[in-house]
Each structure stands twice: as structure tokens, then as C-alpha cells.
Amino acid sequence: NREDFANIKIGTSYADLVNTVGIPSRVSWSSMMSSESFLIFYYKLSDSHSVIIHFGSNRTISEMTGLEDQATTSRLGVHLFGFVV
């Protein structure tokens, strides 16, 4: 549920995230040419929307998408991540 993410903020560790909201639906790993790697967690919400959480090299949340007000969220932004809402 969207409410489960209420206290999740930029800077939260992935251990704290999993302890709070549970194991993600999907995990991916992205590596940039600068040798920096990024972990990405995907959560499927009960309303069928998705939350996408990016972790930086310091193992804390660097970016979150999908928790915005759905009435104002751009469909293009969601489609760039491969999800259809």
C-alpha cells in the first residue's frame, strides 16, 4: 500500500526499506560507465501502480518515483520505466 511508504525518504538504507515495506517485486542492477553501480527496487502497489526506488553508491535511497499524486503524474514518466498504469 502507498501508506507503507509514508516514512521512506531519500537517504533511507535498503535494509531499513525492506524492514519497513517488505521485499520488492523486482530488483535490477545498473552499472554506469564511470564504474558506479546502482540498485533499483520495484514495488507493485495494491492499486496496481508501481513504486521505483533507486539506490546510490552509498547504499541509500537516491531517488523515488511512483509515490506522487497520481492525478498529476505524467504517463510518459511512468512509461519510461516500462510500466503501464
Side-chain angles (χ1 to χ4, degrees):
N1 289 332
R2 190 175 304 276
E3 298 79 32
D4 296 339
F5 291 86
N7 294 319
I8 303 300
K9 308 282 184 237
I10 301 297
T12 301
S13 71
Y14 58 72
D16 288 342
L17 174 69
V18 171
N19 287 335
T20 303
V21 299
I23 296 171
S25 307
R26 187 168 71 106
V27 176
S28 68
W29 187 262
S30 174
S31 183
M32 300 304 223
M33 291 179 67
S34 64
S35 76
E36 210 170 346
S37 298
F38 301 93
L39 187 64
I40 305 169
F41 282 10
Y42 301 84
Y43 286 90
K44 192 78 167 174
L45 302 179
S46 58
D47 64 1
S48 78
H49 287 91
S50 295
V51 175
I52 302 165
I53 299 179
H54 297 253
F55 292 88
S57 57
N58 61 356
R59 299 180 182 166
T60 61
I61 295 174
S62 60
E63 181 183 350
M64 297 187 300
T65 56
L67 293 172
E68 316 69 25
D69 177 9
Q70 294 301 315
T72 60
T73 300
S74 164
R75 285 190 171 274
L76 176 60
V78 176
H79 282 251
L80 288 175
F81 291 105
F83 292 96
V84 179
V85 292

